Amino acid sequence: TPLKAARKAVITGTALGLFLFFLILFLAIVVLGTKIVREATYPSYILVQQINLTDFLDRLDLVIVAVWLPAFFSKLA
């Protein structure tokens, strides 16, 4: 029954999309506060700026050099 499967897929996709939307909205309100979220055009962009993702990626340089790079060269050899 393709109609039942399509209906189930639409309901599941809508529920998952709404859940993820409310999760992002909740996290933005918790981190930034209601005033910034209300006035900002892109609160998710400000949220990513506040997380300081680049500081986290700077710490991964050691892992890349120590583990991933030798494994990559071994695979090439």
Short mmCIF file of all heavy atoms in Angstrom, two decimals:
data_model
loop_
_atom_site.label_atom_id
_atom_site.label_comp_id
_atom_site.label_asym_id
_atom_site.label_seq_id
_atom_site.Cartn_x
_atom_site.Cartn_y
_atom_site.Cartn_z
N THR A 1 0.84 -1.18 0.00
CA THR A 1 0.00 0.00 0.00
C THR A 1 0.90 1.25 0.00
O THR A 1 1.35 1.70 1.05
CB THR A 1 -0.91 0.01 1.23
OG1 THR A 1 -0.10 -0.04 2.39
CG2 THR A 1 -1.89 -1.15 1.21
N PRO A 2 1.15 1.81 -1.18
CA PRO A 2 2.04 2.97 -1.26
C PRO A 2 1.46 4.22 -0.60
O PRO A 2 2.20 5.08 -0.13
CB PRO A 2 2.24 3.18 -2.75
CG PRO A 2 1.24 2.35 -3.45
CD PRO A 2 0.73 1.34 -2.48
N LEU A 3 0.14 4.33 -0.55
CA LEU A 3 -0.47 5.52 0.07
C LEU A 3 -0.23 5.53 1.57
O LEU A 3 0.08 6.58 2.15
CB LEU A 3 -1.97 5.55 -0.24
CG LEU A 3 -2.69 6.83 0.17
CD1 LEU A 3 -2.09 8.03 -0.55
CD2 LEU A 3 -4.18 6.72 -0.15
N LYS A 4 -0.34 4.36 2.21
CA LYS A 4 -0.09 4.28 3.65
C LYS A 4 1.39 4.56 3.95
O LYS A 4 1.71 5.24 4.92
CB LYS A 4 -0.45 2.89 4.18
CG LYS A 4 -1.85 2.76 4.68
CD LYS A 4 -2.01 1.42 5.35
CE LYS A 4 -3.26 1.41 6.17
NZ LYS A 4 -3.47 0.14 6.84
N ALA A 5 2.27 4.03 3.12
CA ALA A 5 3.70 4.25 3.33
C ALA A 5 4.06 5.72 3.13
O ALA A 5 4.88 6.27 3.87
CB ALA A 5 4.51 3.37 2.39
N ALA A 6 3.45 6.35 2.15
CA ALA A 6 3.72 7.77 1.91
C ALA A 6 3.21 8.62 3.06
O ALA A 6 3.88 9.56 3.50
CB ALA A 6 3.08 8.21 0.60
N ARG A 7 2.03 8.30 3.56
CA ARG A 7 1.47 9.05 4.69
C ARG A 7 2.35 8.89 5.93
O ARG A 7 2.63 9.86 6.64
CB ARG A 7 0.05 8.56 4.99
CG ARG A 7 -0.60 9.34 6.13
CD ARG A 7 -2.03 8.91 6.39
NE ARG A 7 -2.85 9.22 5.23
CZ ARG A 7 -3.81 8.42 4.75
NH1 ARG A 7 -4.07 7.28 5.34
NH2 ARG A 7 -4.52 8.78 3.70
N LYS A 8 2.82 7.66 6.17
CA LYS A 8 3.69 7.40 7.32
C LYS A 8 5.01 8.16 7.16
O LYS A 8 5.54 8.72 8.12
CB LYS A 8 3.95 5.91 7.46
CG LYS A 8 4.76 5.55 8.67
CD LYS A 8 4.92 4.05 8.80
CE LYS A 8 5.77 3.72 10.01
NZ LYS A 8 5.97 2.29 10.15
N ALA A 9 5.55 8.20 5.94
CA ALA A 9 6.81 8.91 5.70
C ALA A 9 6.64 10.42 5.91
O ALA A 9 7.53 11.07 6.47
CB ALA A 9 7.31 8.62 4.29
N VAL A 10 5.52 10.97 5.47
CA VAL A 10 5.27 12.40 5.65
C VAL A 10 5.12 12.74 7.13
O VAL A 10 5.69 13.73 7.61
CB VAL A 10 4.02 12.84 4.85
CG1 VAL A 10 3.57 14.22 5.26
CG2 VAL A 10 4.31 12.79 3.37
N ILE A 11 4.41 11.93 7.87
CA ILE A 11 4.22 12.18 9.29
C ILE A 11 5.54 12.05 10.04
O ILE A 11 5.87 12.88 10.89
CB ILE A 11 3.14 11.24 9.87
CG1 ILE A 11 1.77 11.61 9.32
CG2 ILE A 11 3.13 11.27 11.39
CD1 ILE A 11 0.67 10.64 9.65
N THR A 12 6.31 11.02 9.72
CA THR A 12 7.60 10.83 10.38
C THR A 12 8.56 11.97 10.05
O THR A 12 9.24 12.50 10.94
CB THR A 12 8.22 9.49 9.95
OG1 THR A 12 7.31 8.44 10.24
CG2 THR A 12 9.53 9.23 10.68
N GLY A 13 8.62 12.37 8.79
CA GLY A 13 9.50 13.46 8.39
C GLY A 13 9.11 14.79 9.02
O GLY A 13 9.97 15.56 9.46
N THR A 14 7.83 15.05 9.09
CA THR A 14 7.35 16.29 9.72
C THR A 14 7.65 16.29 11.21
O THR A 14 8.10 17.31 11.75
CB THR A 14 5.84 16.45 9.48
OG1 THR A 14 5.58 16.42 8.08
CG2 THR A 14 5.33 17.75 10.06
N ALA A 15 7.42 15.18 11.87
CA ALA A 15 7.70 15.09 13.31
C ALA A 15 9.19 15.26 13.58
O ALA A 15 9.58 15.98 14.51
CB ALA A 15 7.20 13.76 13.87
N LEU A 16 10.03 14.63 12.78
CA LEU A 16 11.47 14.75 12.97
C LEU A 16 11.94 16.19 12.70
O LEU A 16 12.75 16.73 13.46
CB LEU A 16 12.21 13.78 12.05
CG LEU A 16 13.73 13.78 12.16
CD1 LEU A 16 14.16 13.31 13.54
CD2 LEU A 16 14.32 12.89 11.09
N GLY A 17 11.42 16.80 11.66
CA GLY A 17 11.77 18.18 11.35
C GLY A 17 11.35 19.14 12.45
O GLY A 17 12.12 20.03 12.82
N LEU A 18 10.16 18.99 12.98
CA LEU A 18 9.70 19.85 14.07
C LEU A 18 10.51 19.63 15.34
O LEU A 18 10.84 20.58 16.04
CB LEU A 18 8.21 19.60 14.36
CG LEU A 18 7.24 20.23 13.37
CD1 LEU A 18 5.82 19.75 13.66
CD2 LEU A 18 7.31 21.73 13.44
N PHE A 19 10.85 18.38 15.62
CA PHE A 19 11.68 18.09 16.79
C PHE A 19 13.04 18.76 16.67
O PHE A 19 13.51 19.41 17.61
CB PHE A 19 11.85 16.58 16.97
CG PHE A 19 12.86 16.23 18.02
CD1 PHE A 19 12.56 16.40 19.37
CD2 PHE A 19 14.11 15.74 17.68
CE1 PHE A 19 13.49 16.09 20.35
CE2 PHE A 19 15.04 15.43 18.65
CZ PHE A 19 14.73 15.60 19.99
N LEU A 20 13.70 18.66 15.51
CA LEU A 20 15.00 19.28 15.33
C LEU A 20 14.91 20.81 15.36
O LEU A 20 15.79 21.47 15.90
CB LEU A 20 15.62 18.81 14.02
CG LEU A 20 16.03 17.33 13.99
CD1 LEU A 20 16.51 16.94 12.60
CD2 LEU A 20 17.08 17.04 15.04
N PHE A 21 13.84 21.36 14.80
CA PHE A 21 13.64 22.81 14.85
C PHE A 21 13.52 23.30 16.29
O PHE A 21 14.16 24.28 16.68
CB PHE A 21 12.40 23.19 14.04
CG PHE A 21 12.03 24.64 14.18
CD1 PHE A 21 12.78 25.62 13.57
CD2 PHE A 21 10.93 25.02 14.94
CE1 PHE A 21 12.43 26.96 13.70
CE2 PHE A 21 10.59 26.34 15.09
CZ PHE A 21 11.34 27.32 14.45
N PHE A 22 12.69 22.62 17.07
CA PHE A 22 12.51 23.04 18.46
C PHE A 22 13.77 22.80 19.29
O PHE A 22 14.05 23.55 20.22
CB PHE A 22 11.30 22.34 19.09
CG PHE A 22 10.00 22.92 18.63
CD1 PHE A 22 9.06 22.14 17.99
CD2 PHE A 22 9.72 24.26 18.83
CE1 PHE A 22 7.86 22.68 17.56
CE2 PHE A 22 8.52 24.81 18.41
CZ PHE A 22 7.59 24.01 17.76
N LEU A 23 14.54 21.78 18.95
CA LEU A 23 15.80 21.54 19.65
C LEU A 23 16.78 22.68 19.39
O LEU A 23 17.40 23.20 20.33
CB LEU A 23 16.40 20.21 19.21
CG LEU A 23 17.72 19.83 19.88
CD1 LEU A 23 17.49 19.54 21.36
CD2 LEU A 23 18.32 18.63 19.19
N ILE A 24 16.92 23.10 18.15
CA ILE A 24 17.81 24.22 17.82
C ILE A 24 17.30 25.50 18.47
O ILE A 24 18.09 26.29 19.00
CB ILE A 24 17.96 24.36 16.30
CG1 ILE A 24 18.75 23.20 15.75
CG2 ILE A 24 18.62 25.68 15.93
CD1 ILE A 24 18.82 23.15 14.25
N LEU A 25 16.01 25.73 18.43
CA LEU A 25 15.44 26.92 19.05
C LEU A 25 15.66 26.92 20.56
O LEU A 25 16.04 27.94 21.15
CB LEU A 25 13.95 27.01 18.74
CG LEU A 25 13.22 28.25 19.21
CD1 LEU A 25 13.78 29.49 18.51
CD2 LEU A 25 11.73 28.12 18.92
N PHE A 26 15.48 25.78 21.19
CA PHE A 26 15.70 25.67 22.63
C PHE A 26 17.16 25.95 22.99
O PHE A 26 17.46 26.68 23.92
CB PHE A 26 15.28 24.28 23.13
CG PHE A 26 15.62 24.02 24.56
CD1 PHE A 26 14.89 24.62 25.57
CD2 PHE A 26 16.67 23.19 24.90
CE1 PHE A 26 15.20 24.38 26.90
CE2 PHE A 26 16.99 22.95 26.22
CZ PHE A 26 16.26 23.54 27.23
N LEU A 27 18.09 25.35 22.23
CA LEU A 27 19.51 25.57 22.50
C LEU A 27 19.90 27.03 22.29
O LEU A 27 20.70 27.58 23.04
CB LEU A 27 20.36 24.65 21.63
CG LEU A 27 20.30 23.17 21.99
CD1 LEU A 27 21.09 22.35 20.99
CD2 LEU A 27 20.82 22.94 23.40
N ALA A 28 19.35 27.66 21.26
CA ALA A 28 19.66 29.07 21.01
C ALA A 28 19.15 29.94 22.16
O ALA A 28 19.84 30.87 22.60
CB ALA A 28 19.05 29.52 19.69
N ILE A 29 17.96 29.66 22.67
CA ILE A 29 17.41 30.44 23.77
C ILE A 29 18.21 30.22 25.05
O ILE A 29 18.50 31.16 25.79
CB ILE A 29 15.91 30.11 23.98
CG1 ILE A 29 15.11 30.66 22.82
CG2 ILE A 29 15.41 30.67 25.31
CD1 ILE A 29 13.66 30.24 22.83
N VAL A 30 18.63 28.99 25.30
CA VAL A 30 19.38 28.69 26.51
C VAL A 30 20.75 29.37 26.48
O VAL A 30 21.21 29.93 27.47
CB VAL A 30 19.53 27.16 26.69
CG1 VAL A 30 20.54 26.83 27.76
CG2 VAL A 30 18.19 26.55 27.03
N VAL A 31 21.43 29.33 25.32
CA VAL A 31 22.78 29.88 25.23
C VAL A 31 22.77 31.40 25.10
O VAL A 31 23.53 32.10 25.76
CB VAL A 31 23.54 29.23 24.06
CG1 VAL A 31 24.87 29.91 23.83
CG2 VAL A 31 23.75 27.75 24.32
N LEU A 32 21.93 31.92 24.22
CA LEU A 32 21.98 33.35 23.89
C LEU A 32 21.01 34.20 24.69
O LEU A 32 21.23 35.39 24.86
CB LEU A 32 21.70 33.54 22.39
CG LEU A 32 22.68 32.86 21.44
CD1 LEU A 32 22.19 32.99 20.03
CD2 LEU A 32 24.06 33.44 21.59
N GLY A 33 19.93 33.63 25.14
CA GLY A 33 18.92 34.41 25.85
C GLY A 33 17.80 34.82 24.91
O GLY A 33 17.94 34.85 23.69
N THR A 34 16.67 35.16 25.48
CA THR A 34 15.49 35.46 24.67
C THR A 34 15.62 36.76 23.90
O THR A 34 15.12 36.88 22.78
CB THR A 34 14.24 35.53 25.55
OG1 THR A 34 14.44 36.49 26.58
CG2 THR A 34 13.94 34.18 26.17
N LYS A 35 16.32 37.75 24.45
CA LYS A 35 16.42 39.05 23.78
C LYS A 35 17.21 38.94 22.48
O LYS A 35 16.79 39.47 21.45
CB LYS A 35 17.08 40.07 24.71
CG LYS A 35 17.11 41.45 24.13
CD LYS A 35 17.70 42.45 25.10
CE LYS A 35 17.71 43.83 24.46
NZ LYS A 35 18.33 44.82 25.31
N ILE A 36 18.33 38.25 22.49
CA ILE A 36 19.15 38.12 21.28
C ILE A 36 18.43 37.26 20.24
O ILE A 36 18.43 37.59 19.06
CB ILE A 36 20.52 37.53 21.63
CG1 ILE A 36 21.30 38.51 22.49
CG2 ILE A 36 21.31 37.19 20.37
CD1 ILE A 36 22.62 37.99 22.99
N VAL A 37 17.81 36.18 20.67
CA VAL A 37 17.10 35.30 19.73
C VAL A 37 15.93 36.03 19.09
O VAL A 37 15.66 35.87 17.90
CB VAL A 37 16.64 34.00 20.43
CG1 VAL A 37 15.77 33.17 19.52
CG2 VAL A 37 17.85 33.20 20.89
N ARG A 38 15.25 36.86 19.86
CA ARG A 38 14.10 37.60 19.33
C ARG A 38 14.53 38.64 18.30
O ARG A 38 13.87 38.85 17.30
CB ARG A 38 13.36 38.26 20.49
CG ARG A 38 12.04 38.85 20.09
CD ARG A 38 11.31 39.49 21.25
NE ARG A 38 11.61 38.86 22.53
CZ ARG A 38 11.89 39.55 23.63
NH1 ARG A 38 11.90 40.85 23.63
NH2 ARG A 38 12.15 38.92 24.76
N GLU A 39 15.67 39.31 18.54
CA GLU A 39 16.07 40.41 17.67
C GLU A 39 16.99 40.00 16.53
O GLU A 39 17.12 40.72 15.56
CB GLU A 39 16.75 41.49 18.52
CG GLU A 39 15.80 42.14 19.50
CD GLU A 39 16.50 43.13 20.41
OE1 GLU A 39 17.71 43.32 20.25
OE2 GLU A 39 15.82 43.69 21.28
N ALA A 40 17.67 38.87 16.64
CA ALA A 40 18.65 38.46 15.64
C ALA A 40 17.96 37.87 14.42
O ALA A 40 16.95 37.17 14.53
CB ALA A 40 19.62 37.45 16.22
N THR A 41 18.53 38.15 13.25
CA THR A 41 17.99 37.56 12.03
C THR A 41 18.37 36.09 11.92
O THR A 41 17.56 35.25 11.56
CB THR A 41 18.55 38.31 10.80
OG1 THR A 41 18.27 39.70 10.94
CG2 THR A 41 17.92 37.80 9.53
N TYR A 42 19.63 35.76 12.24
CA TYR A 42 20.11 34.39 12.20
C TYR A 42 20.68 34.02 13.56
O TYR A 42 21.89 34.07 13.77
CB TYR A 42 21.19 34.23 11.12
CG TYR A 42 20.71 34.57 9.74
CD1 TYR A 42 21.14 35.72 9.10
CD2 TYR A 42 19.82 33.74 9.08
CE1 TYR A 42 20.69 36.04 7.83
CE2 TYR A 42 19.37 34.04 7.83
CZ TYR A 42 19.81 35.19 7.20
OH TYR A 42 19.37 35.50 5.96
N PRO A 43 19.85 33.61 14.51
CA PRO A 43 20.38 33.28 15.84
C PRO A 43 21.27 32.04 15.84
O PRO A 43 22.16 31.93 16.66
CB PRO A 43 19.13 33.07 16.69
CG PRO A 43 18.04 32.80 15.74
CD PRO A 43 18.41 33.50 14.47
N SER A 44 21.05 31.13 14.91
CA SER A 44 21.91 29.94 14.86
C SER A 44 23.34 30.31 14.47
O SER A 44 24.29 29.71 14.95
CB SER A 44 21.35 28.92 13.86
OG SER A 44 20.09 28.49 14.28
N TYR A 45 23.50 31.31 13.63
CA TYR A 45 24.83 31.78 13.24
C TYR A 45 25.55 32.39 14.45
O TYR A 45 26.73 32.13 14.67
CB TYR A 45 24.71 32.80 12.11
CG TYR A 45 26.02 33.32 11.60
CD1 TYR A 45 26.86 32.50 10.88
CD2 TYR A 45 26.41 34.62 11.87
CE1 TYR A 45 28.07 32.98 10.42
CE2 TYR A 45 27.62 35.10 11.42
CZ TYR A 45 28.45 34.27 10.68
OH TYR A 45 29.65 34.75 10.24
N ILE A 46 24.84 33.17 15.23
CA ILE A 46 25.42 33.75 16.44
C ILE A 46 25.74 32.65 17.44
O ILE A 46 26.76 32.70 18.13
CB ILE A 46 24.46 34.79 17.05
CG1 ILE A 46 24.26 35.95 16.08
CG2 ILE A 46 24.97 35.30 18.39
CD1 ILE A 46 23.18 36.92 16.49
N LEU A 47 24.90 31.61 17.49
CA LEU A 47 25.13 30.49 18.38
C LEU A 47 26.44 29.78 18.03
O LEU A 47 27.24 29.46 18.91
CB LEU A 47 23.96 29.52 18.31
CG LEU A 47 23.96 28.30 19.22
CD1 LEU A 47 23.91 28.74 20.67
CD2 LEU A 47 22.80 27.41 18.90
N VAL A 48 26.70 29.57 16.75
CA VAL A 48 27.94 28.93 16.32
C VAL A 48 29.14 29.82 16.65
O VAL A 48 30.19 29.33 17.05
CB VAL A 48 27.88 28.59 14.82
CG1 VAL A 48 29.23 28.16 14.30
CG2 VAL A 48 26.85 27.51 14.56
N GLN A 49 28.98 31.13 16.51
CA GLN A 49 30.07 32.03 16.87
C GLN A 49 30.38 31.97 18.36
O GLN A 49 31.54 32.05 18.76
CB GLN A 49 29.72 33.47 16.50
CG GLN A 49 29.78 33.76 15.03
CD GLN A 49 29.38 35.19 14.72
OE1 GLN A 49 28.67 35.82 15.51
NE2 GLN A 49 29.81 35.69 13.59
N GLN A 50 29.38 31.81 19.19
CA GLN A 50 29.59 31.76 20.63
C GLN A 50 30.22 30.45 21.08
O GLN A 50 30.85 30.39 22.13
CB GLN A 50 28.26 31.97 21.37
CG GLN A 50 27.68 33.35 21.20
CD GLN A 50 28.57 34.42 21.78
OE1 GLN A 50 29.16 34.25 22.83
NE2 GLN A 50 28.69 35.53 21.07
N ILE A 51 30.05 29.39 20.31
CA ILE A 51 30.61 28.10 20.69
C ILE A 51 32.13 28.08 20.51
O ILE A 51 32.83 27.31 21.15
CB ILE A 51 29.94 26.96 19.88
CG1 ILE A 51 28.50 26.80 20.33
CG2 ILE A 51 30.66 25.65 20.05
CD1 ILE A 51 27.71 25.82 19.51
N ASN A 52 32.67 28.96 19.68
CA ASN A 52 34.10 29.01 19.38
C ASN A 52 34.58 27.68 18.80
O ASN A 52 35.42 26.99 19.37
CB ASN A 52 34.92 29.38 20.61
CG ASN A 52 34.67 30.79 21.04
OD1 ASN A 52 34.38 31.65 20.22
ND2 ASN A 52 34.78 31.03 22.33
N LEU A 53 34.02 27.33 17.67
CA LEU A 53 34.34 26.06 17.01
C LEU A 53 35.79 26.01 16.58
O LEU A 53 36.40 24.94 16.59
CB LEU A 53 33.41 25.88 15.80
CG LEU A 53 33.41 24.54 15.11
CD1 LEU A 53 33.00 23.45 16.08
CD2 LEU A 53 32.50 24.55 13.93
N THR A 54 36.38 27.13 16.25
CA THR A 54 37.77 27.12 15.78
C THR A 54 38.73 26.73 16.90
O THR A 54 39.75 26.10 16.64
CB THR A 54 38.17 28.49 15.22
OG1 THR A 54 37.93 29.49 16.21
CG2 THR A 54 37.39 28.81 13.98
N ASP A 55 38.43 27.09 18.14
CA ASP A 55 39.29 26.66 19.25
C ASP A 55 39.29 25.15 19.39
O ASP A 55 40.31 24.53 19.69
CB ASP A 55 38.84 27.30 20.56
CG ASP A 55 39.05 28.79 20.58
OD1 ASP A 55 39.89 29.28 19.79
OD2 ASP A 55 38.38 29.47 21.38
N PHE A 56 38.14 24.55 19.16
CA PHE A 56 38.05 23.10 19.22
C PHE A 56 38.84 22.46 18.09
O PHE A 56 39.54 21.46 18.29
CB PHE A 56 36.58 22.66 19.16
CG PHE A 56 36.39 21.18 19.04
CD1 PHE A 56 36.64 20.36 20.12
CD2 PHE A 56 35.98 20.62 17.85
CE1 PHE A 56 36.47 18.99 20.01
CE2 PHE A 56 35.81 19.25 17.74
CZ PHE A 56 36.05 18.44 18.83
N LEU A 57 38.75 23.03 16.88
CA LEU A 57 39.46 22.46 15.75
C LEU A 57 40.98 22.63 15.88
O LEU A 57 41.73 21.81 15.36
CB LEU A 57 38.97 23.10 14.45
CG LEU A 57 37.55 22.75 14.06
CD1 LEU A 57 37.14 23.50 12.80
CD2 LEU A 57 37.39 21.26 13.84
N ASP A 58 41.44 23.66 16.57
CA ASP A 58 42.88 23.82 16.80
C ASP A 58 43.44 22.69 17.64
O ASP A 58 44.59 22.29 17.46
CB ASP A 58 43.15 25.16 17.49
CG ASP A 58 42.94 26.34 16.56
OD1 ASP A 58 42.94 26.11 15.33
OD2 ASP A 58 42.77 27.46 17.07
N ARG A 59 42.63 22.15 18.53
CA ARG A 59 43.09 21.04 19.36
C ARG A 59 43.18 19.74 18.57
O ARG A 59 43.86 18.81 18.98
CB ARG A 59 42.16 20.86 20.55
CG ARG A 59 42.19 22.03 21.49
CD ARG A 59 41.31 21.80 22.69
NE ARG A 59 41.06 23.08 23.34
CZ ARG A 59 39.87 23.56 23.59
NH1 ARG A 59 38.81 22.87 23.28
NH2 ARG A 59 39.72 24.73 24.18
N LEU A 60 42.48 19.65 17.45
CA LEU A 60 42.51 18.44 16.65
C LEU A 60 43.76 18.34 15.77
O LEU A 60 44.01 17.29 15.20
CB LEU A 60 41.27 18.36 15.76
CG LEU A 60 39.97 18.00 16.45
CD1 LEU A 60 38.83 17.99 15.46
CD2 LEU A 60 40.08 16.66 17.14
N ASP A 61 44.54 19.41 15.67
CA ASP A 61 45.74 19.37 14.84
C ASP A 61 46.70 18.28 15.30
O ASP A 61 47.29 17.58 14.48
CB ASP A 61 46.45 20.73 14.86
CG ASP A 61 45.69 21.78 14.10
OD1 ASP A 61 44.81 21.40 13.30
OD2 ASP A 61 45.96 22.97 14.31
N LEU A 62 46.86 18.11 16.60
CA LEU A 62 47.75 17.09 17.12
C LEU A 62 47.28 15.69 16.73
O LEU A 62 48.09 14.84 16.35
CB LEU A 62 47.86 17.21 18.64
CG LEU A 62 48.77 16.20 19.33
CD1 LEU A 62 50.21 16.40 18.87
CD2 LEU A 62 48.67 16.34 20.83
N VAL A 63 45.98 15.47 16.80
CA VAL A 63 45.43 14.16 16.42
C VAL A 63 45.65 13.91 14.93
O VAL A 63 46.02 12.81 14.53
CB VAL A 63 43.93 14.08 16.78
CG1 VAL A 63 43.30 12.81 16.26
CG2 VAL A 63 43.75 14.19 18.28
N ILE A 64 45.46 14.93 14.12
CA ILE A 64 45.63 14.77 12.68
C ILE A 64 47.08 14.44 12.35
O ILE A 64 47.37 13.54 11.56
CB ILE A 64 45.15 16.03 11.94
CG1 ILE A 64 43.64 16.13 12.03
CG2 ILE A 64 45.60 16.01 10.48
CD1 ILE A 64 43.08 17.43 11.49
N VAL A 65 48.00 15.15 12.97
CA VAL A 65 49.41 14.93 12.68
C VAL A 65 49.89 13.60 13.24
O VAL A 65 50.65 12.88 12.60
CB VAL A 65 50.26 16.11 13.23
CG1 VAL A 65 51.73 15.82 13.15
CG2 VAL A 65 49.93 17.38 12.47
N ALA A 66 49.45 13.23 14.44
CA ALA A 66 49.97 12.05 15.10
C ALA A 66 49.32 10.75 14.63
O ALA A 66 49.99 9.71 14.60
CB ALA A 66 49.78 12.18 16.61
N VAL A 67 48.08 10.78 14.26
CA VAL A 67 47.38 9.53 13.95
C VAL A 67 46.98 9.45 12.49
O VAL A 67 47.31 8.49 11.77
CB VAL A 67 46.12 9.37 14.84
CG1 VAL A 67 45.33 8.14 14.47
CG2 VAL A 67 46.52 9.34 16.30
N TRP A 68 46.28 10.44 12.01
CA TRP A 68 45.69 10.35 10.68
C TRP A 68 46.73 10.42 9.58
O TRP A 68 46.68 9.67 8.62
CB TRP A 68 44.66 11.46 10.49
CG TRP A 68 43.99 11.41 9.15
CD1 TRP A 68 43.01 10.56 8.76
CD2 TRP A 68 44.29 12.24 8.03
NE1 TRP A 68 42.66 10.81 7.46
CE2 TRP A 68 43.44 11.84 6.99
CE3 TRP A 68 45.19 13.27 7.81
CZ2 TRP A 68 43.47 12.44 5.75
CZ3 TRP A 68 45.21 13.86 6.56
CH2 TRP A 68 44.36 13.44 5.55
N LEU A 69 47.69 11.32 9.69
CA LEU A 69 48.69 11.51 8.63
C LEU A 69 49.56 10.27 8.44
O LEU A 69 49.72 9.82 7.29
CB LEU A 69 49.53 12.75 8.95
CG LEU A 69 50.22 13.43 7.80
CD1 LEU A 69 49.24 13.81 6.69
CD2 LEU A 69 50.94 14.68 8.27
N PRO A 70 50.12 9.64 9.49
CA PRO A 70 50.88 8.40 9.26
C PRO A 70 50.01 7.26 8.69
O PRO A 70 50.47 6.49 7.86
CB PRO A 70 51.40 8.03 10.64
CG PRO A 70 51.41 9.30 11.39
CD PRO A 70 50.28 10.10 10.87
N ALA A 71 48.77 7.18 9.15
CA ALA A 71 47.88 6.15 8.61
C ALA A 71 47.61 6.40 7.12
O ALA A 71 47.55 5.46 6.33
CB ALA A 71 46.58 6.12 9.39
N PHE A 72 47.46 7.66 6.75
CA PHE A 72 47.22 7.99 5.34
C PHE A 72 48.43 7.64 4.48
O PHE A 72 48.29 7.07 3.41
CB PHE A 72 46.88 9.48 5.23
CG PHE A 72 46.58 9.93 3.84
CD1 PHE A 72 45.42 9.55 3.20
CD2 PHE A 72 47.49 10.72 3.16
CE1 PHE A 72 45.15 9.95 1.92
CE2 PHE A 72 47.23 11.14 1.87
CZ PHE A 72 46.05 10.77 1.24
N PHE A 73 49.63 7.97 4.97
CA PHE A 73 50.83 7.65 4.20
C PHE A 73 51.06 6.14 4.12
O PHE A 73 51.52 5.63 3.10
CB PHE A 73 52.05 8.35 4.79
CG PHE A 73 52.10 9.82 4.49
CD1 PHE A 73 52.36 10.73 5.49
CD2 PHE A 73 51.87 10.29 3.20
CE1 PHE A 73 52.40 12.09 5.22
CE2 PHE A 73 51.90 11.66 2.93
CZ PHE A 73 52.16 12.55 3.93
N SER A 74 50.74 5.41 5.19
CA SER A 74 50.85 3.94 5.15
C SER A 74 49.89 3.35 4.13
O SER A 74 50.21 2.41 3.42
CB SER A 74 50.57 3.35 6.52
OG SER A 74 51.49 3.81 7.44
N LYS A 75 48.72 3.93 4.05
CA LYS A 75 47.74 3.45 3.09
C LYS A 75 48.19 3.74 1.65
O LYS A 75 47.99 2.91 0.76
CB LYS A 75 46.39 4.13 3.37
CG LYS A 75 45.25 3.59 2.57
CD LYS A 75 43.96 4.27 3.01
CE LYS A 75 42.79 3.70 2.25
NZ LYS A 75 41.54 4.32 2.65
N LEU A 76 48.81 4.89 1.45
CA LEU A 76 49.33 5.20 0.12
C LEU A 76 50.47 4.28 -0.28
O LEU A 76 50.61 3.91 -1.46
CB LEU A 76 49.80 6.67 0.06
CG LEU A 76 48.74 7.72 -0.06
CD1 LEU A 76 49.36 9.11 -0.03
CD2 LEU A 76 47.95 7.54 -1.33
N ALA A 77 51.32 3.90 0.68
CA ALA A 77 52.46 3.04 0.38
C ALA A 77 51.97 1.65 0.03
O ALA A 77 52.47 0.99 -0.83
CB ALA A 77 53.38 2.99 1.58
#
